Amino acid sequence: MDKVGIIFDLDGVIVDTAKYHYLAWKKLAKSLGIDFDEHMNEQLKGVSRVKSLEKILSWGNQTLDEDTFKNCLYSKNEDYLNYIKELNEDEILPGVLEVLNYLRDKGVPFALGSASKNARTILKATGIMDWFEAIVDGNDVSIAKPDPQVFLIAADKLGIEPSKCVVFEDSVAGIQAANAADMLSVGIGDQEVLKEADYIFNDFTEIELKFIESIILK
Ligand code: BG6
Ligand code: MG
């Protein structure tokens, strides 16, 4: 049996930071006079910082010169960093540590596959950075999800074939990226939003270790 590898998204899967991205984008959109709600925010989940701002501007029918665009990215990130400055292990989502510990016990390697350039800061703050065999984040990729690049690099770093990898994701773009990488996709969140995933759970507390066992034996 070939070895299986697991790839976790970060924001909204391991830590409850998706809400802070939302709040920071909402503030930025407001400053530009653009309406922004949770439904629109779904389309930003998993999407890089630059692409997210481009989407917000297109919803508001606006364009910005290069300097203003960069300033907006900077100020969104400053607000976001401000929200997460006291982040600690308590922000790890319920049920996640049980799954990570189970994988460690079983010797199943796992990697991070995140669009965020702040991923390492968050992993350090939550104390689980060393648990990951490989970390691939927004600093390592040139094409954002839904392109499979981030997950393919993670599989490569794990030394495991893409078809033997399983991805946990909370975003539509991330599920599409996992599917495009020929990986098993597990959606964490709303059934309707994540309907393209192979399996969907509302959160990690719904995932029984039996399910994890079944995917690592696949
Ligand atoms: C993803 C988030 O994980 O990272 C997105 O779902 C975010 O909301 C993206 O825009 C980029 O993150 P950062 O931290 O580099 O701005
Ligand atoms: Mg996410």
Side-chain angles (χ1 to χ4, degrees), residues 9-13 18 45-46 114 145 168-171:
D9 173 47
L10 178 69
D11 297 309
V13 169
K45 285 187 181 170
S114 167
K145 299 171 188 174
F168 287 81
E169 255 293 347
D170 71 319
S171 71

Side-chain angles (χ1 to χ4, degrees), residues 21-139:
H21 279 295
Y22 171 58
L23 292 173
W25 281 128
K26 197 170 169 62
K27 182 172 168 201
L28 198 264
K30 194 171 175 204
S31 75
L32 296 167
I34 300 173
D35 285 334
F36 181 63
D37 59 25
E38 289 201 43
H39 175 72
M40 294 155 115
N41 187 55
E42 279 308 326
Q43 297 177 53
L44 301 190
K45 285 187 181 170
V47 173
S48 69
R49 204 180 304 168
V50 168
K51 275 245 152 39
S52 299
L53 181 53
E54 285 171 357
K55 277 181 188 266
I56 291 173
L57 291 172
S58 78
W59 293 327
N61 277 319
Q62 288 193 25
T63 51
L64 297 176
D65 63 65
E66 213 181 306
D67 281 351
T68 316
F69 189 93
K70 279 194 188 140
N71 287 340
C72 286
L73 291 180
Y74 178 80
S75 89
K76 184 270 168 180
N77 197 48
E78 286 296 294
D79 283 333
Y80 175 69
L81 290 176
N82 206 26
Y83 282 123
I84 64 166
K85 71 171 184 263
E86 277 165 28
L87 191 93
N88 59 34
E89 66 273 14
D90 296 339
E91 211 97 10
I92 296 177
L93 283 160
V96 169
L97 287 178
E98 284 79 351
V99 170
L100 296 185
N101 275 316
Y102 180 81
L103 294 173
R104 272 152 61 97
D105 272 3
K106 299 281 172 196
V108 177
F110 53 88
L112 191 85
S114 167
S116 173
K117 294 188 170 171
N118 297 302
R120 283 180 166 81
T121 306
I122 291 172
L123 289 180
K124 269 187 216 150
T126 49
I128 55 172
M129 176 121 148
D130 297 344
W131 295 20
F132 290 81
E133 187 122 338
I135 294 171
V136 187
D137 66 17
N139 301 294

